[in-house]
Amino acid sequence: MTSEPLIHTRQLTKRYGKTLALDNFDLDLAPGQIVGLLGENGCGKTTLLKTLAGMDQDFTGTAQIAGHDIGPETKALVSFLPDTSFLADSAKVTECIHYFDDFFADFDADKARDTIAFFGLDASSRLNEMSKGMREKVQVALTMARRARVFLLDEPISGVDPAARQVILDGVLRNLEPESLLMISTHLIHDLEPVLDSVVMMRHGKLLQQGYVDDLRAEHSKSIDQIFQEMYR
């Protein structure tokens, strides 16, 4: 990994009315790693991801991707999977692939089709004929088919059964480029821990803990899941 941060924030602050969603949040993340974004519901994880993805630019402080302030230029570097469905219910999988191919210059339609096949999905099916887990797989396939530098996934394995979680994670990781940065928000730490290089733990909009997984395990003589449970008890 290089020492230059791919994600950089300083005093990043975001309010929703009187609610402080991000509170002077400082973060540096280098490329070439898989990062778990951990914390309780409402701690600011989704707000952080949306801000880095350029979906919400009403903030104060500094937020940069690859040295560029958040804006149109950084949107071309980031592929974002939100925690809610962003595809039309009546659309076929093939139509979704065509839509992404038209919209994103860095989209690899062949990679998307390959991941759809890996998931065992019928590309001619409509989304409203699919289960929640199947739809999540479609969205993951589309998101990961971009040639982005940063991938931000918000709860990609939430609400699906354990078997589907592992398949989705396998689909996420199978074509990830070594120099990409992948950040995954989750509360299902046990499922995600085996693939993580580092973690970022949040509480009340602040950075509570950051570090490499191996270092934290050695320091605490516990798993990341156990460390998380103790810190948020």
Side-chain angles (χ1 to χ4, degrees):
M1 291 185 296
T2 66
S3 59
E4 290 296 319
L6 196 47
I7 290 177
H8 169 77
T9 73
R10 284 296 179 272
Q11 297 183 312
L12 179 60
T13 302
K14 168 66 183 178
R15 292 182 179 272
Y16 294 106
K18 295 182 179 179
T19 301
L20 193 59
L22 295 174
D23 186 2
N24 289 298
F25 194 85
D26 293 349
L27 182 66
D28 285 304
L29 292 174
Q33 58 177 324
I34 301 170
V35 183
L37 181 60
L38 315 178
E40 304 153 313
N41 289 337
C43 73
K45 300 190 301 296
T46 292
T47 299
L48 176 63
L49 294 181
K50 289 174 66 176
T51 300
L52 294 174
M55 304 296 291
D56 189 345
Q57 299 183 41
D58 182 21
F59 61 83
T60 60
T62 300
Q64 296 180 334
I65 303 291
H68 304 288
D69 291 335
I70 299 297
E73 192 167 7
T74 63
K75 286 184 178 181
L77 303 174
V78 176
S79 187
F80 176 50
L81 174 67
D83 62 348
T84 56
S85 177
F86 55 86
L87 302 171
D89 287 344
S90 61
K92 294 182 178 180
V93 175
T94 51
E95 293 171 341
C96 296
I97 293 173
H98 290 317
Y99 171 77
F100 264 62
D101 202 22
D102 287 341
F103 197 81
F104 295 106
D106 64 349
F107 184 73
D108 187 333
D110 288 337
K111 183 183 286 188
R113 284 188 283 265
D114 178 68
T115 306
I116 291 294
F118 169 79
F119 285 144
L121 300 176
D122 183 353
S124 64
S125 297
R126 296 188 184 276
L127 298 182
N128 56 15
E129 300 170 346
M130 295 182 168
S131 67
K132 176 179 174 60
M134 294 166 70
R135 290 179 60 134
E136 190 68 26
K137 290 173 183 176
V138 173
Q139 297 191 152
V140 164
L142 295 171
T143 302
M144 298 307 298
R146 288 183 56 192
R147 292 181 290 272
R149 296 196 64 189
V150 176
F151 295 89
L152 305 174
L153 312 185
D154 195 359
E155 299 283 359
I157 57 175
S158 178
V160 298
D161 63 79
R165 292 174 198 163
Q166 186 57 54
V167 173
I168 288 173
L169 284 176
D170 290 343
V172 167
L173 300 176
R174 65 194 301 266
N175 290 313
L176 188 66
E177 294 296 329
E179 284 303 305
S180 297
L181 173 61
L182 170 62
M183 182 184 283
I184 307 179
S185 165
T186 187
H187 61 276
L188 299 170
I189 304 165
H190 177 75
D191 296 88
L192 198 61
E193 183 170 347
V195 305
L196 294 180
D197 298 304
S198 64
V199 293
V200 173
M201 298 186 186
M202 297 182 65
R203 171 173 278 177
H204 306 314
K206 291 179 176 290
L207 178 64
L208 185 63
Q209 175 85 57
Q210 179 184 1
Y212 290 105
V213 166
D214 289 343
D215 293 343
L216 291 171
R217 287 179 184 141
E219 178 184 349
H220 295 272
S221 299
K222 294 176 181 175
S223 70
I224 298 300
D225 194 14
Q226 291 171 325
I227 296 169
F228 178 85
Q229 296 298 333
E230 287 191 357
M231 294 186 70
Y232 290 87
R233 184 173 298 162

